Amino acid sequence: MISKLTFLLIESIRALFRARVPAIISSITIAITLVVFSSAYFFYENMVGFTNKFTAQFNIEVFFDSELTEEGSIQLFNDILLIRGIEQGEFIDKDKAANLFKKYFKDDINNIIGNNPLPMGGNFDISLSHRSPRMMSKITREIRRMQGVDEAAFQHDVVSRVDRIIDNLLGFSLVVGIIILIVSIILVSNTIRLIIHAKQHSIETLHLLGATNSFIRFPFIMEGIFQGLVGSAMSLSFLSLLYSLQAYLIESLVRIQLVIPAMMIPGNFLLGILLGLTGSYRGISKYLK
């Protein structure tokens, strides 16, 4: 059994060397596919992390009716905290409202008007799962319907724009990745078909000697896996170089620490093997029924 397996593995490697040019081309195509997918995944994960930090600065600002007492305002503030999606909040009484006015307008409201007519209110942070424009709009509408609330608002345009940028980047990367994915599968399939065609006489001889289809197919399947592994190794080498380059150039300029996703390396090898298997199976299916 061991000698048979060794023979099949050696045959797989020999076949790759006999068709080295198409094998190298298909491995490079797999590598390009993995680089595109990995880069899209890398930037998407980092963009999501950056966006979460960015959108965490935005909150829902609520202004209470001016006739509402401080006790009633505190009660309303606590009721808003119970709404699903609200993470925490800061109660703003009249003194805090006056300090904020002075901070933004560089003047004291009491000196201008003679008293403090500013309403009480609160700033409410949104939980991570509810920071989309749709969910924040839903929470804002729910707050506006509460008795004693004069106005509730958040920076809808900014949050929507950030969300749209991420969606567009992901969509573009996905389209490019799928195109290259199809091309790589076709190239791997064609490589396997060239090898099968070159060994047609040997395959017929093996059939006559009583070899099973599984025995004949195994080397070709291994060839696809080897191409996938070579493509994975090439893509990881290039990605490592790319990461070192961006760490030297980008992080030193914009001071943003980019993080390598945990699934980057195992995902590269798994996807590379899957591409090789898919291509080899497609190549085998035409010639070896």
Side-chain angles (χ1 to χ4, degrees):
M1 181 66 183
I2 295 174
S3 59
K4 187 187 291 186
L5 184 61
T6 305
F7 168 76
L8 292 173
L9 289 173
I10 291 172
E11 276 299 302
S12 303
I13 295 170
R14 282 177 179 171
L16 282 176
F17 278 104
R18 281 195 293 268
R20 65 174 67 90
V21 174
I24 290 171
I25 292 172
S26 61
S27 295
I28 290 173
T29 310
I30 289 174
I32 293 170
T33 305
L34 294 174
V35 166
V36 172
F37 272 100
S38 299
S39 300
Y41 176 55
F42 174 79
F43 284 111
Y44 176 74
E45 285 291 317
N46 281 277
M47 184 66 76
V48 168
F50 173 72
T51 304
N52 290 334
K53 292 179 183 178
F54 183 69
T55 54
Q57 302 173 25
F58 300 109
N59 49 33
I60 296 177
E61 296 181 344
V62 181
F63 300 95
F64 301 152
D65 289 337
S66 55
E67 293 83 8
L68 208 61
T69 63
E70 185 168 351
E71 184 180 349
S73 297
I74 292 172
Q75 181 59 51
L76 181 56
F77 174 82
N78 291 330
D79 291 341
I80 294 173
L81 284 176
L82 298 176
I83 294 175
R84 183 179 177 84
I86 298 290
E87 193 170 56
Q88 60 185 0
E90 178 190 10
F91 179 71
I92 299 177
D93 57 17
K94 284 184 170 293
D95 291 337
K96 282 186 180 178
N99 290 334
L100 288 171
F101 182 91
K102 188 174 183 179
K103 178 182 176 181
Y104 289 114
F105 297 101
K106 309 300 181 184
D107 211 339
D108 193 336
I109 187 72
N110 292 291
N111 294 336
I112 298 173
I113 301 178
N115 60 8
N116 184 358
L118 298 173
M120 288 178 279
N123 287 331
F124 297 92
D125 295 332
I126 309 301
S127 61
L128 184 61
S129 58
H130 288 71
R131 285 182 193 163
S132 66
R134 185 180 65 84
M135 295 303 296
M136 290 181 74
S137 296
K138 182 181 176 182
I139 295 170
T140 303
R141 288 194 300 270
E142 188 174 346
I143 294 172
R144 284 173 184 163
R145 288 194 293 266
M146 298 178 72
Q147 188 174 359
V149 172
D150 180 50
E151 184 56 68
F154 73 99
Q155 292 174 295
H156 181 275
D157 290 342
V158 177
V159 177
S160 298
R161 194 173 294 116
V162 171
D163 242 32
R164 202 178 304 119
I165 289 170
I166 292 178
D167 289 341
N168 289 340
L169 283 174
L170 182 62
F172 176 75
S173 301
L174 191 61
V175 169
V176 173
I178 288 172
I179 292 170
I180 298 177
L181 175 72
I182 294 169
V183 171
S184 67
I185 290 173
I186 292 171
L187 281 175
V188 174
S189 303
N190 290 339
T191 303
I192 299 298
R193 286 175 181 176
L194 283 171
I195 295 170
I196 292 172
H197 185 73
K199 295 178 66 177
Q200 197 68 39
H201 180 70
S202 301
I203 291 169
E204 290 173 2
T205 303
L206 287 170
H207 269 303
L208 291 173
L209 292 172
T212 62
N213 282 337
S214 300
F215 183 87
I216 297 170
R217 286 192 185 111
F218 185 81
F220 300 114
I221 291 172
M222 290 307 301
E223 286 157 24
I225 293 174
F226 287 147
Q227 289 178 38
L229 288 172
V230 171
S232 298
M234 291 169 69
S235 74
L236 286 172
S237 301
F238 181 78
L239 288 169
S240 176
L241 179 65
L242 201 63
Y243 181 76
S244 301
L245 188 64
Q246 69 82 25
Y248 178 74
L249 294 176
I250 299 175
E251 290 183 14
S252 61
L253 292 175
V254 297
R255 305 295 180 184
I256 296 175
Q257 183 68 40
L258 299 178
V259 180
I260 299 176
M263 283 299 295
M264 179 70 79
I265 295 175
N268 241 273
F269 280 110
L270 286 173
L271 186 56
I273 291 170
L274 183 63
L275 285 171
L277 275 172
T278 306
S280 62
Y281 181 79
R282 185 174 177 270
I284 291 168
S285 62
K286 183 174 180 181
Y287 290 97
L288 296 175
K289 302 296 182 183

